[in-house]
Amino acid sequence: MSCIRKLRKRTKSQEFVYQEQCKIVAHENGKRIGLEGDPDLQFLLNGGDLLKVKSRSWRKTRYFRLNEDLKTMWQETSKTFKSNSGFSLEDVDSVRYGRQTDGLRKYTDSSVEDRCLSFIFKGRRKNLDLIASSKEEAKKWVSGLEKVMTGMHSLNRQQNSEHWIYNCMRKADKNADNKMSLKELKHFLRQINVEVDDSYAEMLFKKCDTSNSGTLEGSEIKHFYDLLTYREEIDVIYKKYATSNGQMSSADLLNFLQIEQREPVSLDYAQKLIMKYEMDETAKQNKYMSKDGFLMYLNHEDGSIFNPAHKPIYQDMRQPLNHYFISSSHNTYLMEDQLKGPSSTEAYIKALMKSCRCVELDCWDGPNGEPVIYHGHTLTSKVLFRDVIKAIKEYAFKTSQYPVILSLENHCTIEQQKIMAHHLTSILGSALLTQPLGYQMPTTFPGPEELKGHFLIKGKRLNKLDAAFNNNTTEDVDSVSEEDEAAELKEAEQKPKEKTAKKIKLAKELSDLVIYCKSVHFSTFEHSRDNQAFYEMASYKESKAMNLAENSATAFIHHNMDKLSRIYPAGSRTDSSNYNPVPLWNAGCQIVALNFQTPGKEMDLNQARFLPNGKCGYILKPEFMRDPASQFDPKCLTVGPWLQKKTFHVMIISAQQLPKINKDKQSSIVDPQVRVEIYGVPADNASKQTHHIDNNGFNPMWNARFQFTVHVPELALVRFVVEDYDAASHNDLVGLYTLPFTSMQNGYRHVPLLTKRGSLIPSAGLFVHIMVLDAK
């Protein structure tokens, strides 16, 4: 809660005291993230006026400041003191300096370029575009906010937990006297998602109120905090292995690592963990790990369920391009639905910043000779092709250096196709691949490593690739878009006697930019094998692709050993919903395009598929999907290298600090339950769930054990879903986490939790025990 909102209810002396307390809180929080005494942080805490821009005519000065929790921004509104006058920095994706949004480019002049800044929010929330009074002030806002956000992101789970609880305590201290009454204690427990009966609250209060003063303060609050955050399950594990006078020696820790975590490590490694995570200097010197150090280890990435060895790029990136799954977006320009939603460069930026490596551009003739991008024949808004290419150029390689494929759906006339070609070559420059690598006609794709930092154009081409260096005149060719083609094929089924194919002119300038991704029509696998080159690729509507994956999986897998395949959602998905990508990956399809703007299970699976290998947007397919001798069939699991049957034991032990679902209702407490899901080949798909726990989102404990059999681990994904149980209606999502089966670590592990849009919930998590064994 902001200091400013509190000031209205206090006398002058109370205001002064509260302001001083706010400074102390901000100072403590600044220390936590390494910004103690930082002038940029002080600037943010003091705040200032910024001009808020919504249109050419709507511009209003608003006062903004960073709250003392360093996690929320307060902003003046038309109703200055309304309760929701602000936003959380956890909802902010980035802060940009300059006219870097569609709104600022549209509604401001270049003269204010160096005074502009924007808050870019996660999900579908509109950007907050602002103008500062000077260039220096704009830079202070941006650099200060970037420091704070970086500092907050660098906190581990335990530090986030402490930060969250500390600030909840501050909010519960209604009269700001640094003491906690019984009433304030009950309010605090509700804030942290725990509902207890009055007798338990009173018992807890009396246990801590050793001074019998009727309030908790100082060491009593510390005692209350220790009772609250006590982890019984950690205590049990620590005591089991701490055999050296109640402490965990480096030899004890090694036993834990080898027996429970199933890590083939040495004593030297155990000692390095002690040096890394132990906070007590005496314990460090004696090579012991205290319980606090042990919890710190479990809360860091070494104790996470996700294998840290899979975090950087670790796969061979020199295999042919078609040997990789490629993170891909459908109708990338859309922010919402397919019929009337906005088109924006922002959608491209968001996809690229998630390491999407194949984006789609639906190109149509626009006014003033400038081609535009939008969903043709709909009410979706239009964005200039030129602006999209500029945005792609700027953001393509910020999170991954590996190649980006621009999938063109071309509906433009010859004249505007030439303009498209000009924009592509002039804006992308040398990063645009305009001829094959090497000095002779290739017979296979280069690898992602060779194509680093390059853009590839996918589209129609007038001739074969071996004619790339010859001069050819423009000619009539079949250049219908993939989705138009699918619609025409459907129409042809209904009216078989009518000829539906159409031809339009294709500009040589645009055609020549298509090198390794020439769009062609798919007939049969045999026809493709006998008549099409490796660089000629088809796009399939989801129903066609699903049918092939279901009925001709082995042939589809072999087809994808030589060529690229792109899959896109059915046109009937006007709400921008998604299909399940897993069956298409099981068939070896590389470019499985999804609507990135739509959260849900399908995007969770996509995020998980591309979580390892540096989140670079490329994942090497299993060897059995690259070997021409392979006869792998996802539906019929005969003996082969793909069959590595595992028994997966998982115990859902507990959860910590789950977020409140209904934040507006103070009395609303989560009733959590956990579901574990497996996605992979049909034989591996499974789901099991725990019972729900009433009124405890802070530290629920289940100790529920499940067992799964996984036949093809290299294709399996594991999804943990935490929901708020409701007997009368649909359960609400609390948090989730999905990862590849082969990227899981064994043993006692913490599982981070994400929002439905894939953002980390900083202080929340699950605590589980994982054991993967070879099945008999």
Side-chain angles (χ1 to χ4, degrees):
M1 187 178 291
S2 168
C3 297
I4 290 179
R5 285 170 50 208
K6 296 235 179 190
L7 297 184
R8 305 180 79 209
K9 301 176 182 178
R10 298 189 174 88
T11 65
K12 287 185 178 180
S13 61
Q14 285 174 325
E15 285 179 13
F16 175 77
V17 170
Y18 194 79
Q19 283 180 318
E20 291 304 305
Q21 289 175 343
C22 283
K23 289 179 183 177
I24 294 169
V25 174
H27 175 78
E28 288 299 315
N29 285 330
K31 277 176 67 176
R32 291 175 202 270
I33 60 173
L35 293 179
E36 184 180 6
D38 186 272
D40 284 343
L41 175 59
Q42 194 55 52
F43 171 80
L44 296 178
L45 292 166
N46 292 335
D49 288 338
L50 292 166
L51 188 65
K52 190 173 177 180
V53 179
K54 285 189 176 181
S55 68
R56 282 276 179 191
S57 57
W58 197 104
R59 297 182 178 206
K60 296 187 186 297
T61 300
R62 295 286 185 251
Y63 178 80
F64 289 83
R65 70 180 292 280
L66 178 67
N67 285 331
E68 62 275 6
D69 63 3
L70 308 193
K71 296 182 85 170
T72 53
M73 291 290 296
W74 185 86
Q75 63 172 320
E76 178 190 26
T77 66
S78 53
K79 295 178 180 178
T80 308
F81 297 102
K82 72 177 185 178
S83 61
N84 63 346
S85 54
F87 54 88
S88 170
L89 289 182
E90 289 176 9
D91 296 329
V92 176
D93 191 57
S94 62
V95 182
R96 291 190 202 146
Y97 174 67
R99 295 164 67 240
Q100 297 296 314
T101 64
D102 291 344
L104 284 175
R105 281 191 292 266
K106 187 175 180 181
Y107 303 131
T108 65
D109 300 321
S110 57
S111 59
V112 297
E113 175 77 42
D114 57 6
R115 290 166 47 204
C116 292
L117 64 141
S118 299
F119 285 89
I120 311 301
F121 292 98
K122 298 169 183 174
R124 293 184 179 180
R125 182 170 175 175
K126 290 182 179 178
N127 301 333
L128 175 58
D129 293 328
L130 304 163
I131 302 176
S133 58
S134 68
K135 171 183 176 181
E136 293 70 29
E137 195 172 293
K139 285 191 169 181
K140 273 188 178 181
W141 278 105
V142 174
S143 63
L145 286 162
E146 285 178 342
K147 282 183 186 178
V148 170
M149 290 169 69
T150 300
M152 296 304 291
H153 289 158
S154 68
L155 295 179
N156 62 56
R157 280 192 69 246
Q158 190 168 340
Q159 291 168 324
N160 265 310
S161 169
E162 291 168 356
H163 182 93
W164 179 69
I165 294 173
Y166 175 73
N167 284 291
C168 284
M169 282 182 165
R170 297 295 311 179
K171 289 180 182 179
D173 184 11
K174 291 291 188 182
N175 58 359
D177 61 357
N178 285 326
K179 299 176 183 179
M180 188 175 284
S181 66
L182 177 58
K183 184 179 178 181
E184 287 174 332
L185 180 138
K186 290 177 181 177
H187 175 71
F188 167 72
L189 290 173
R190 281 195 298 272
Q191 275 201 313
I192 63 169
N193 219 351
V194 180
E195 183 67 52
V196 297
D197 59 38
D198 288 349
S199 60
Y200 179 80
E202 287 172 20
M203 182 274 291
L204 193 63
F205 186 84
K206 285 177 182 177
K207 192 173 184 178
C208 297
D209 184 18
T210 53
S211 64
N212 294 315
S213 63
T215 59
L216 305 184
E217 55 184 303
S219 60
E220 295 172 332
I221 292 179
K222 173 69 167 66
H223 184 208
F224 169 67
Y225 174 86
D226 290 341
L227 284 175
L228 192 69
T229 56
Y230 172 67
R231 297 274 303 273
E232 180 187 359
E233 68 275 33
I234 302 297
D235 210 26
V236 169
I237 300 165
Y238 184 81
K239 285 177 179 177
K240 180 180 177 181
Y241 285 92
T243 63
S244 307
N245 297 320
Q247 286 196 305
M248 189 178 276
S249 67
S250 50
D252 293 337
L253 178 58
L254 180 62
N255 281 339
F256 170 77
L257 293 171
Q258 291 180 338
I259 296 169
E260 295 291 354
Q261 311 298 72
R262 300 172 66 82
E263 295 181 25
V265 294
S266 64
L267 184 64
D268 181 59
Y269 177 80
Q271 290 172 350
K272 284 179 180 177
L273 286 183
I274 291 173
M275 297 304 293
K276 186 176 181 180
Y277 295 117
E278 181 52 58
M279 296 170 287
D280 184 278
E281 288 302 322
T282 304
K284 255 186 191 178
Q285 289 171 9
N286 295 325
K287 296 180 181 176
Y288 280 81
M289 182 174 267
S290 67
K291 191 159 55 176
D292 286 342
F294 185 62
L295 182 58
M296 186 71 79
Y297 149 71
L298 287 172
N299 274 316
H300 274 73
E301 70 172 22
D302 287 308
S304 172
I305 191 170
F306 181 67
N307 187 347
H310 288 190
K311 189 175 181 181
I313 292 168
Y314 70 96
Q315 294 182 332
D316 177 7
M317 300 305 285
R318 295 186 180 277
Q319 293 288 320
L321 197 69
N322 62 312
H323 284 187
Y324 297 83
F325 297 125
I326 303 172
S327 182
S328 306
S329 161
H330 167 253
N331 285 0
T332 314
Y333 48 90
L334 291 176
M335 298 287 284
E336 296 175 11
D337 64 76
Q338 307 280 315
L339 296 179
K340 58 186 188 312
S343 303
S344 173
T345 58
E346 201 59 53
Y348 286 92
I349 295 169
K350 289 189 175 186
L352 292 167
M353 292 300 285
K354 290 178 181 176
S355 296
C356 176
R357 298 292 88 186
C358 179
V359 296
E360 186 176 11
L361 299 86
D362 288 3
C363 309
W364 299 78
D365 278 3
N368 305 315
E370 284 290 341
V372 295
I373 291 175
Y374 84 113
H375 201 200
H377 311 300
T378 70
L379 299 177
T380 56
S381 65
K382 299 172 183 176
V383 59
L384 287 174
F385 178 84
R386 176 185 59 205
D387 289 346
V388 167
I389 300 304
K390 285 180 180 178
I392 290 173
K393 165 71 172 175
E394 184 171 353
Y395 288 92
F397 304 115
K398 285 188 181 290
T399 58
S400 170
Q401 286 297 306
Y402 291 105
V404 172
I405 299 169
L406 307 185
S407 180
L408 301 184
E409 189 175 302
N410 175 20
H411 303 270
C412 293
T413 56
I414 281 284
E415 291 72 23
Q416 295 211 8
Q417 287 179 42
K418 290 178 180 179
I419 298 295
M420 286 169 59
H422 170 73
H423 289 326
L424 287 167
T425 53
S426 63
I427 295 170
L428 301 181
S430 60
L432 178 63
L433 197 72
T434 55
Q435 58 184 9
L437 299 182
Y439 300 100
Q440 58 186 12
M441 179 61 197
T443 56
T444 188
F445 291 98
E449 190 67 31
E450 296 170 271
L451 293 167
K452 251 185 176 179
H454 280 95
F455 294 98
L456 308 181
I457 303 299
K458 173 194 166 293
K460 295 290 180 176
R461 186 180 169 90
L462 291 171
N463 46 30
K464 294 284 187 181
L465 188 58
D466 50 12
F469 304 106
N470 300 327
N471 291 320
N472 293 86
T473 57
T474 306
E475 60 184 75
D476 286 335
V477 295
D478 180 1
S479 56
V480 295
S481 71
E482 291 81 13
E483 287 174 86
D484 280 353
E485 186 173 81
E488 287 177 8
L489 286 172
K490 185 176 180 182
E491 183 184 341
E493 291 169 6
Q494 297 167 346
K495 304 175 184 178
K497 294 181 180 179
E498 293 184 20
K499 186 177 180 181
T500 57
K502 61 180 179 180
K503 293 186 178 183
I504 63 170
K505 289 274 190 176
L506 180 63
K508 180 180 182 298
E509 292 87 341
L510 189 60
S511 165
D512 287 350
L513 300 182
V514 175
I515 304 300
Y516 289 116
C517 302
K518 178 183 175 182
S519 298
V520 296
H521 171 63
F522 174 80
S523 177
T524 64
F525 292 128
E526 293 75 15
H527 178 269
S528 297
R529 183 187 63 231
D530 297 339
N531 298 281
Q532 293 173 352
F534 74 92
Y535 57 83
E536 294 181 305
M537 62 174 291
S539 288
Y540 310 79
K541 189 169 67 172
E542 65 173 275
S543 57
K544 174 72 171 176
M546 289 288 189
N547 183 51
L548 291 171
E550 175 75 14
N551 299 308
S552 309
T554 304
F556 210 172
I557 290 166
H558 277 264
H559 173 84
N560 289 321
M561 289 180 191
D562 298 318
K563 298 175 176 63
L564 285 167
S565 290
R566 175 179 172 270
I567 320 300
Y568 60 90
S572 57
R573 293 184 181 273
T574 55
D575 59 351
S576 294
S577 59
N578 281 308
Y579 55 92
N580 181 3
V582 174
L584 286 317
W585 290 327
N586 291 346
C589 298
Q590 303 89 348
I591 303 177
V592 182
L594 298 178
N595 291 306
F596 266 50
Q597 73 273 32
T598 306
K601 179 180 70 177
E602 297 80 13
M603 276 304 297
D604 298 340
L605 296 171
N606 193 77
Q607 188 170 359
R609 173 62 72 209
F610 297 98
L611 178 64
N613 205 35
K615 292 185 181 178
C616 73
Y618 285 85
I619 292 291
L620 185 64
K621 292 195 282 187
E623 173 65 27
F624 58 79
M625 289 187 141
R626 297 179 277 128
D627 178 8
S630 171
Q631 289 301 308
F632 171 62
D633 183 341
K635 284 179 65 180
C636 184
L637 296 176
T638 56
V639 174
W642 49 85
L643 196 62
Q644 301 171 32
K645 196 173 176 183
K646 305 288 182 184
T647 302
F648 170 36
H649 299 272
V650 56
M651 178 165 65
I652 306 299
I653 301 170
S654 61
Q656 298 78 44
Q657 294 158 39
L658 302 175
K660 288 171 74 78
I661 300 302
N662 189 349
K663 293 181 181 179
D664 297 330
K665 191 176 179 182
Q666 287 293 325
S667 61
S668 173
I669 305 296
V670 168
D671 303 325
Q673 68 177 31
V674 182
R675 188 168 63 254
V676 183
E677 302 169 346
I678 312 290
Y679 294 88
V681 298
D684 291 343
N685 295 332
S687 174
K688 296 180 181 180
Q689 70 182 29
T690 67
H691 60 281
H692 73 274
I693 292 177
D694 291 327
N695 294 328
N696 187 354
F698 183 73
N699 56 1
M701 189 173 290
W702 293 272
N703 289 321
R705 299 172 184 268
F706 302 128
Q707 179 178 320
F708 300 89
T709 300
V710 178
H711 300 81
V712 187
E714 288 184 271
L715 291 176
L717 299 167
V718 183
R719 187 169 184 249
F720 297 88
V721 184
V722 184
E723 292 181 330
D724 181 12
Y725 173 79
D726 192 325
S729 63
H730 183 73
N731 294 346
D732 290 322
L733 176 70
V734 175
L736 56 89
Y737 187 72
T738 316
L739 77 166
F741 184 87
T742 52
S743 292
M744 280 194 308
Q745 295 202 95
N746 279 299
Y748 288 103
R749 302 293 176 182
H750 276 108
V751 180
L753 291 176
L754 311 179
T755 66
K756 69 176 182 178
R757 290 193 175 274
S759 301
L760 182 70
I761 305 171
S763 57
L766 292 174
F767 187 52
V768 302
H769 186 268
I770 302 290
M771 187 176 291
V772 177
L773 302 171
D774 291 332
K776 294 179 180 179

